[in-house]
Amino acid sequence: MKVMNIRRCSVLFLEPNETVRFSLGAVFSGGDGLVRHSAWQAIAPHLENGMVGIDEGMVIMLGKLSPSRWVPWGDCGGTYEQVHALIQKGLVIAAEDIPGLEHFRLDDERVRAADWWPLAAASAGLGRWSDVDSAADMERNGTNTVAGLMKTREAPMPEPESSADTFLPRCESDAFDDLLRRRVTCRNFSVRALEHAVFARMMERVFAATHVKEPVQGLRFLKRSSPSGGGFHATDAYLLIQRVAGLEPGLYRYLPEAHALSRIEGCSDQVETLAGQMVAGQHWFSNAPVMVALVATYRRSFWKYRNHAKAYRALILDSGHLSQTLYLSATDKGMGAFVTAAINEKQIETMFGLDPLEKGVIAVCGFGYRAEEMTITEFDPGRAVWSATQS
Ligand SMILES: Cc1cc2nc3c(=O)[nH]c(=O)nc-3n(C[C@H](O)[C@H](O)[C@H](O)COP(=O)(O)O)c2cc1C
């Protein structure tokens, strides 16, 4: 047989995973009715689903293999069948391509080249949802209301409060305080379309570059209304537009330097379905006239922050800042806004044509006019948005 050189994939975590299921048979045989099953799970970001099940023999073999040095397969202490099984799972990489499995080597090389901090790479890869309907799931298991939650868990322990030493003066409210008070996550959007100019204004305020500096060729620093880790502004706005005057419903990418849209072809007849998929079935968000997927391009940040424990965290924070600016900008223009991390990343990647090894969908925001009536609960205890008669 031809000598085949192999090495381990670059990022790999092994998790001893336990699944628990109820069995009537286990009750009759005198136990607590729960059947527990332990199995090893290999977590590796270059895999399509971010993980794959393995057995104990594979765990030992993987522990012996170098992720950097190629060795002949016979030196790894396993049988050819064991090595081949690990190659087919994508956890052991063969130097010479095996038909149908080349993508594992190519994707592993891309993870190596991307300068990820390994734990962040694993978390980003594994945390992506596909076809989740979180609204239906919560209704099914009764966790969509506080009363329902209380049936499934104890009340949280109150945290001990520190004693107050110095009381701070309360200030007269000004216009900015009023704006902050009116920021309430919107779950009741009107069918009213957005005026073109209002939409343009929102995009300009939140996502446009106000200045661009290029200290060396190819390295461009944008200035935006929100801060950004390292000043890289690695987060772009990918839009699903349902109702904006003068724009075809469909998918777009916003270009922050040109303050322009680039159309992403296809799907204009399916926007409603795509909107629902984007926000994992949360129908209280999916009829917003504009939804924005906040998409980070990893290499723009990792170019500087190589193998950096904080780089991915900074990208997540960047999306948080953009979403708050979007909330406040929408509130200022008499609109409602939302942000959610309960999203189907995989469907969003497919609809916008995003490569998950290059780009990560961190959150989805949306904005539009509020409906006349509140039919889905919003957190507005001060009635800053909804008067007592409206809700
Ligand atoms: C990161 C993040 C994720 C959120 N995800 C959801 C969500 O999945 N569904 C939802 O209805 N609201 C979501 N929200 C909105 C919160 O529920 C809301 O901010 C909170 O209840 C406080 O209400 P307020 O924003 O009106 O002050 C999210 C907010 C943040 C910041």
Side-chain angles (χ1 to χ4, degrees), residues 237-239 250-254 261-268 350-354:
Y238 283 75
L239 308 175
L251 305 177
Y252 298 82
R253 180 180 173 177
Y254 177 72
L261 298 176
S262 171
R263 185 83 196 257
I264 297 171
E265 287 308 326
C267 319
S268 51
T350 305
M351 66 180 87
F352 290 112
L354 309 174

Side-chain angles (χ1 to χ4, degrees), residues 6 188 231 385 390:
I6 56 170
N188 298 274
V385 172
Q390 283 170 313

Side-chain angles (χ1 to χ4, degrees), residues 1 87 108 110 149 164 196 232 237 256 258 317 320 322 331 336 342 356 370 388:
M1 188 196 316
I87 290 174
D108 180 55
R110 292 168 68 215
L149 274 171
H196 196 85
F232 290 113
L317 288 168
L322 288 166
T331 308
R370 277 198 155 80

Side-chain angles (χ1 to χ4, degrees), residues 134 138 183-187 279 282 284-285 323 327 338-343 363 370 377-380:
S134 68
M138 283 190 294
R183 186 217 54 79
V184 173
T185 295
C186 179
R187 298 192 181 87
V279 291
Q282 298 183 84
W284 50 91
F285 290 153
S323 74
Y327 263 88
F338 73 86
V339 63
T340 176
I343 57 175
R370 277 198 155 80
T377 312
E378 296 186 13
F379 191 48
D380 183 23

